[in-house]
Amino acid sequence: MDTEIIVQDLELRSLIGFDGNPLNGLILHPDGVHLVYPLGTNIAAYNWRTKAQRFFEGHTNVISAVTVSSSGQYVGSGQVNYMGFRSPIIVWQFDTGQLVAKYESHKVRVESVAFSSCENFLISLGGVDDGSVIVYDIGKREVLCGSSSVKSTAGSATVLQPVHTRGECFVVAGDNILRLWTLNREQRNIQGLDGSFAKIKRKILCTVVDRLDEYAYCGTSTGDVMKIKLNFSSDTAVVAPTNAPTLVGCFAKYPPAGKNKRGTSAAAAVELYSKGITALYLVADGTMLVGSGDGVVELVKQKARDSGRGTCSKPDSTRLATPTRPLLVAVKSANVDSSVTSIQLMADGIVLVGTVNCELFAIRAHDFDVTCLFTCHTSVVYDLAFPHGYSKVFATASKHDVRVWSVDTLQELLRITVRNFTCSGVLFSYDGAQIVTSWNDGNIRIFAPETGRLLYAINNCHNKGVSAIAMSKDGRKLLSGGGEGQVRVWQVDNLNGALQAVLKEHKGPVSSIDVHQLGHEAITASADGTCVVWDIVRFTRLSIMFSSTIFTSAKYHPNGAQLLTCGTNRYIGFWEALDGSLIREIEGSSASALNSLDVTPNGKYIVTGSSDQMVKVWLYNEGVPTHVGVGHAGVVTNVKVSPDGRFVVSTSADGGIFLWRFPHAADTAPPGSRCSANSVGGGGAGSLREQQTDRSRQLSLKKTLPARKENIKVISNVQKVRTATDCSRPTAASTVGGDGNATETAVDGSVKCLCRRGSTCVCCDHSAGGRKTKPFVH
């Protein structure tokens, strides 16, 4: 080549979901408009009004801690690293996204990071393998000082919280430890005072300090709240506390009326939060938002102590009741079904709640009505599929469920759940009227695309689970590959499937199947190091390809003349489709296996995903990469180019879904095929003959098909649904039994309405006078 191609960065368009594992990982920016949260190796800034996303890039592994300065000027984060290596901490300028500082001071993991109230320092807390707290001077770009965060009589520290009025002070807490640190900038050291808990032992999971720095409230694994007086002087110019922090009380919750057993004293009638208190947020009116490990979010207030019979007095600000006396009363309550890790309160009265299941909920403060905003997979995404010729939605397959996502809104439109089984493959029928899925229990299940209703199932397809599926263009033939190595061809017609042939050639699990655009042949890739081209009309083998690799993907080029393969040997193979001879091989990755491969609709570019967490775009003819996308925190499992050729979707082993802008012009016209023109739909006699055949087939099926046929192209326009709840649209088979039979009553429903309560929305069926079989959850 005359000109050298420079490899550029692939532009990240958007991320789906967020990582809810870091404590307080969801942060509301002080401007009240942006949400800052981690996902993979990136930090996203989500604009609440415009729904736009910006990204802070620079980390190389999973982000374990994130923080925003009090004025919103800086964003800081730390990550997890491999054993024996130090973990980097990065500080960005929020407005410009420019990197301000990057340093490495902790081993293996950064447990928590926080800016001081004066924004001059970034404080970081190391994990179990490190056991230190470090203060970094942002202005001088240097580590100022550090000290050990562990105590011989206590466990490890996991919580870091700065105070509000003194930039030199911060609190570190953990397993039976709470220490108030004071920074001496001139002497470059920090001094700590341990809090006195008397005989009480608690493991602190979260901490929040009031605005006047008088008290620290700590959520514990026991399920109560510790109130600790910090003992600062009333003069804010005096930095050091006058005494060590002292425990005021451990506040549990008064049980609801009617729960007190007869004969039980009031002091013993204590209700604790199940699975501990994992998140706290102090409200300006003196109330407190509490999030627990079992998903309960409550607005609580401190109950006044009785000063006499029938009278109540305000609680003493200095000397409250003894520990274990319940002093919290629940005002409002909601449940988000998973452990709460973050709570934020917006100015318009919306409570934002992040959970460990990577879901983001919005709770209206006046009635505690719950709405799910973001959700994503929490385990490996095994497959990814677009409808034919439609780029508005795509589907992903993972453990327990199949989900349909909107490209425009990045929201989950439909979730189909099959408990205790893993979905290994998903695809849309050519007409968009069916979602075909394969499962590790050996069954193939076909669902309606709008409601998630189970249309029919093909049971006992393979005795070691179905590992791959593909469907012909006419929708008549369905190919399935199993863990035992067999390839089976099914005749699907109307609402059933019949076995046509069993193709036995592979000795290992079938990893990929791709059907030729004419529908007369297909290629299958296997872990035994072979790829086989089958004649699926006569059910014979046409050619076989061998290589010293475990093939992970095989595809036809859009012109049908060549085949592309990739595998664990790190090479992309170009093969002749006619006889299976190898044309050439190019190295797709320098260090790790290639897990997925796709070709653009015009056939000019290739996209690959590999175990080194990279997505690459290649020139097909030249065989050289042009762009590389870095951002996944796990192995890239799937890559797909949208049918309009405008963006690339990639999924990873950690459940992340990334949308990248395709860097080249979107030319979707396929190249000329050496196949007959009538098969491609050219405009000759063959094209007319094919249209007449399709028309006659539709007329013959008109009597058996329902009056209205669901189509995937409708879901992105009118359906406004979200994740599973306890009720759903009556026609939605949200949970399917292991035998493949749909349950008429929706359990853990596949859809959830997001519209306001009492409104007439497009999500609900308001026919028949507004009567519904089951109510919607709004």
Side-chain angles (χ1 to χ4, degrees):
M1 296 180 62
D2 298 334
T3 59
E4 182 181 356
I5 297 177
I6 300 175
V7 179
Q8 302 177 14
D9 291 332
L10 196 60
E11 182 184 355
L12 183 61
R13 172 184 168 182
S14 55
L15 306 176
I16 289 184
F18 85 108
D19 189 357
N21 290 289
L23 181 67
N24 294 324
L26 173 68
I27 301 174
L28 178 65
H29 193 270
D31 62 8
V33 177
H34 290 87
L35 295 180
V36 179
Y37 53 86
L39 180 60
T41 62
N42 300 281
I43 293 178
Y46 176 79
N47 191 306
W48 184 265
R49 296 173 183 169
T50 64
K51 312 301 181 185
Q53 288 179 320
R54 303 195 283 121
F55 305 103
F56 301 93
E57 302 175 355
H59 285 288
T60 58
N61 210 329
V62 179
I63 295 174
S64 57
V66 62
T67 185
V68 177
S69 62
S70 56
S71 68
Q73 181 182 2
Y74 298 119
V75 175
S77 61
Q79 71 171 55
V80 179
N81 212 341
Y82 301 102
M83 189 65 67
F85 294 89
R86 293 188 177 274
S87 299
I89 298 173
I90 304 179
V91 180
W92 290 278
Q93 195 82 22
F94 178 79
D95 295 333
T96 63
Q98 183 179 1
L99 193 143
V100 176
K102 183 177 182 179
Y103 64 99
E104 298 177 356
S105 298
H106 297 284
K107 298 177 182 177
V108 184
R109 178 185 176 92
V110 178
E111 195 68 43
S112 182
V113 291
F115 288 99
S116 62
S117 59
C118 60
E119 300 189 5
N120 294 328
F121 313 108
L122 177 64
I123 310 153
S124 57
L125 180 65
V128 178
D129 302 287
D130 183 76
S132 65
V133 57
I134 301 293
V135 179
Y136 182 83
D137 193 321
I138 300 176
K140 295 182 178 180
R141 307 289 193 274
E142 65 176 3
V143 175
L144 195 61
C145 58
S147 179
S148 175
S149 62
V150 297
K151 192 170 67 170
S152 59
T153 59
S156 59
T158 57
V159 180
L160 173 64
Q161 179 66 43
V163 299
H164 297 285
T165 59
R166 296 165 174 85
E168 297 83 359
C169 298
F170 57 93
V171 176
V172 171
D175 189 2
N176 198 34
I177 180 176
L178 185 139
R179 184 175 292 176
L180 179 59
W181 293 91
T182 303
L183 169 66
N184 190 325
R185 189 170 185 177
E186 289 73 18
Q187 298 180 5
R188 299 176 68 97
N189 63 13
I190 51 177
Q191 298 177 350
L193 286 176
D194 290 324
S196 176
F197 294 168
K199 294 183 179 180
I200 294 179
K201 295 183 181 295
R202 293 289 190 272
K203 182 178 181 180
I204 298 175
L205 302 180
C206 57
T207 301
V208 62
V209 179
D210 62 15
R211 286 293 173 184
L212 300 178
D213 295 339
E214 292 181 350
Y215 296 100
Y217 296 85
C218 305
T220 68
S221 60
T222 310
D224 54 9
V225 178
M226 300 176 66
K227 186 174 182 179
I228 298 172
K229 189 173 183 179
L230 297 179
N231 293 320
F232 280 115
S233 171
S234 57
D235 185 6
T236 56
V238 180
V239 176
T242 56
N243 292 303
T246 56
L247 177 65
V248 175
C250 294
F251 302 155
K253 186 174 54 170
Y254 273 105
K259 278 198 173 183
N260 288 344
K261 295 182 179 180
R262 185 170 297 178
T264 303
S265 64
V270 173
E271 183 177 355
L272 300 174
Y273 287 93
S274 178
K275 298 183 181 179
I277 296 176
T278 54
L280 291 172
Y281 186 91
L282 292 178
V283 187
D285 60 359
T287 58
M288 182 166 52
L289 289 165
V290 178
S292 67
D294 63 346
V296 174
V297 180
E298 287 187 338
L299 179 67
V300 299
K301 65 178 181 179
Q302 184 176 315
K303 188 178 185 301
R305 293 188 302 161
D306 295 337
S307 60
R309 181 175 299 180
T311 62
C312 264
S313 64
K314 295 184 179 180
D316 191 355
S317 60
T318 58
R319 199 173 292 235
L320 296 177
T322 57
T324 71
R325 167 120 186 229
L327 286 176
L328 299 179
V329 177
V331 180
K332 297 174 184 177
S333 180
N335 198 315
V336 294
D337 300 325
S338 57
S339 180
V340 178
T341 56
S342 306
I343 296 179
Q344 296 287 299
L345 180 62
M346 300 187 70
D348 55 357
I350 299 294
V351 180
L352 300 176
V353 178
T355 70
V356 74
N357 280 352
C358 302
E359 293 179 325
L360 172 60
F361 294 90
I363 302 177
R364 290 199 299 248
H366 67 278
D367 59 358
F368 260 50
D369 183 64
V370 181
T371 299
C372 184
L373 298 179
F374 292 157
T375 181
C376 65
H377 291 289
T378 57
S379 57
V380 183
V381 181
Y382 293 100
D383 201 9
L384 168 68
F386 275 96
H388 176 77
Y390 191 65
S391 302
K392 294 291 185 181
V393 298
F394 62 92
T396 54
S398 184
K399 187 177 181 180
H400 299 313
D401 55 38
V402 176
R403 308 190 189 192
V404 179
W405 306 89
S406 169
V407 172
D408 295 332
T409 64
L410 306 179
Q411 295 179 351
E412 183 183 83
L413 298 175
L414 179 68
R415 183 186 301 185
I416 304 169
T417 303
V418 181
R419 296 295 181 189
N420 302 321
F421 295 116
T422 298
C423 185
S424 58
V426 61
L427 59 87
F428 293 93
S429 60
Y430 189 81
D431 59 358
Q434 296 176 348
I435 300 177
V436 185
T437 60
S438 61
W439 300 81
N440 65 345
D441 62 345
N443 297 342
I444 296 176
R445 298 178 174 89
I446 293 87
F447 300 94
E450 293 181 46
T451 61
R453 176 172 53 90
L454 180 68
L455 299 177
Y456 65 98
I458 307 175
N459 298 324
N460 304 319
C461 298
H462 296 271
N463 56 15
K464 289 188 178 181
V466 185
S467 56
I469 53 173
M471 182 176 279
S472 61
K473 181 178 178 180
D474 58 6
R476 294 180 179 181
K477 289 182 179 179
L478 177 65
L479 279 72
S480 64
E484 76 285 348
Q486 293 184 3
V487 178
R488 300 191 175 189
V489 183
W490 306 86
Q491 179 75 28
V492 288
D493 189 10
N494 199 5
L495 296 178
N496 56 59
L499 181 64
Q500 276 192 317
V502 179
L503 308 177
K504 299 180 180 179
E505 190 72 39
H506 295 296
K507 305 301 180 184
V510 178
S511 57
S512 174
I513 304 176
D514 190 33
V515 180
H516 195 280
Q517 60 181 355
L518 304 184
H520 67 289
E521 65 180 45
I523 181 174
T524 59
S526 174
D528 61 359
T530 63
C531 284
V532 179
V533 179
W534 304 93
D535 186 331
I536 56 176
V537 177
R538 297 176 297 168
F539 309 115
T540 58
R541 188 189 78 187
L542 296 178
S543 60
I544 186 169
M545 296 165 283
F546 297 93
S547 182
S548 58
T549 183
I550 297 176
F551 283 111
T552 55
S553 182
K555 289 190 72 69
Y556 280 96
H557 190 270
N559 64 10
Q562 291 185 0
L563 303 169
L564 294 170
T565 61
C566 65
T568 56
N569 64 349
R570 304 179 287 109
Y571 282 90
I572 304 172
F574 296 74
W575 308 79
E576 180 66 43
L578 186 62
D579 56 1
S581 59
L582 180 64
I583 300 174
R584 60 171 175 165
E585 282 185 329
I586 60 175
E587 187 178 22
S589 174
S590 60
S592 58
L594 298 178
N595 299 321
S596 183
L597 175 147
D598 197 21
V599 187
T600 57
N602 58 21
K604 296 180 180 179
Y605 308 99
I606 310 171
V607 181
T608 59
S610 54
S611 295
D612 57 4
Q613 306 172 4
M614 292 186 182
V615 178
K616 294 183 180 180
V617 179
W618 304 74
L619 291 173
Y620 183 84
N621 293 328
E622 292 80 358
V624 294
T626 62
H627 292 76
V628 176
V630 179
H632 282 285
V635 172
V636 179
T637 55
N638 295 278
V639 289
K640 282 287 189 301
V641 182
S642 63
D644 58 9
R646 297 183 182 276
F647 57 92
V648 178
V649 179
S650 60
T651 63
S652 57
D654 63 344
I657 303 175
F658 285 49
L659 279 74
W660 312 84
R661 294 190 190 278
F662 194 73
H664 304 288
D667 180 13
T668 58
S673 172
R674 68 179 186 180
C675 306
S676 58
N678 59 358
S679 61
V680 188
S687 176
L688 296 176
R689 192 160 46 247
E690 184 178 340
Q691 294 177 7
Q692 293 173 358
T693 304
D694 292 340
R695 178 62 178 167
S696 61
R697 189 186 311 122
Q698 294 175 5
L699 292 176
S700 63
L701 295 176
K702 187 174 181 180
K703 296 180 180 180
T704 59
L705 292 177
R708 179 186 178 278
K709 193 174 183 180
E710 295 185 14
N711 194 285
I712 188 61
K713 296 183 180 181
V714 180
I715 190 173
S716 61
N717 296 327
V718 300
Q719 188 157 328
K720 300 180 185 300
V721 294
R722 190 65 66 172
T723 58
T725 53
D726 58 348
C727 45
S728 73
R729 179 184 320 212
T731 57
S734 53
T735 299
V736 181
D739 57 355
N741 298 322
T743 56
E744 193 64 32
T745 58
V747 182
D748 280 340
S750 64
V751 296
K752 176 181 178 181
C753 179
L754 293 183
C755 303
R756 298 184 62 182
R757 188 187 303 271
S759 64
T760 303
C761 57
V762 294
C763 312
C764 306
D765 184 11
H766 295 277
S767 59
R771 180 177 55 84
K772 295 179 287 188
T773 305
K774 290 178 72 68
F776 272 85
V777 171
H778 287 270

